[in-house]
Amino acid sequence: MNETVKFYTEVLGFTKIVSVPESGELIFAILNAGDVNIMFQQKENLQEEYADLKGLSQNPCFTFYIKVENKNALYEYCKHTDLLVKEIHITPYGAEEFAIRDNNGFILTITEAPK
């Protein structure tokens, strides 16, 4: 959890709104960037909250599509790291985007927010 919060705040510019606990080893956090809030919860804590999840093999697979300001600066930061999984390109629908992998292995497709 702590590494996830660090990745999203330091690399992607999210702000930590709340966490449980406030410091130390986190089990829950809400992060914000503009109109977007993302909640992260430690697997064991989530299974405590939702007993039906106990014992299930959980391999979530999804991607995020994130619109940021100044995507080129983020691209420059990521392009020579192991975060980058797809170079910047123009899609068939006209968006300029690139993709990175977060610290948990999820794919984040990055594009520019309209101004």
Side-chain angles (χ1 to χ4, degrees):
M1 280 289 305
N2 291 52
E3 288 302 312
T4 298
V5 169
K6 182 178 178 179
F7 179 88
Y8 278 80
T9 56
E10 292 181 8
V11 175
L12 297 179
F14 279 76
T15 301
K16 182 174 76 168
I17 302 300
V18 67
S19 67
V20 176
E22 285 188 34
S23 61
E25 285 300 312
L26 305 180
I27 60 171
F28 177 81
I30 299 175
L31 308 179
N32 172 269
D35 293 334
V36 175
N37 289 332
I38 300 177
M39 294 184 285
F40 293 100
Q41 190 166 356
Q42 179 192 47
K43 181 179 178 179
E44 292 79 11
N45 182 260
L46 188 64
Q47 289 173 336
E48 249 180 61
E49 186 173 345
Y50 299 100
D52 289 351
L53 298 177
K54 286 184 181 177
L56 294 179
S57 174
Q58 295 171 319
N59 295 313
C61 182
F62 57 89
T63 64
F64 291 103
Y65 191 78
I66 301 174
K67 295 179 179 180
V68 300
E69 292 180 8
N70 199 359
K71 78 170 173 347
N72 292 331
L74 181 57
Y75 179 74
E76 288 300 315
Y77 174 83
C78 294
K79 75 178 183 180
H80 298 297
T81 70
D82 59 355
L83 300 173
L84 189 68
V85 295
K86 191 166 190 177
E87 297 285 338
I88 201 161
H89 63 283
I90 304 290
T91 66
Y93 45 90
E96 185 177 60
E97 56 190 42
F98 64 97
I100 61 175
R101 186 178 316 274
D102 79 0
N103 66 305
N104 296 299
F106 294 111
I107 301 295
L108 312 175
T109 301
I110 309 294
T111 191
E112 187 83 20
K115 295 182 182 189

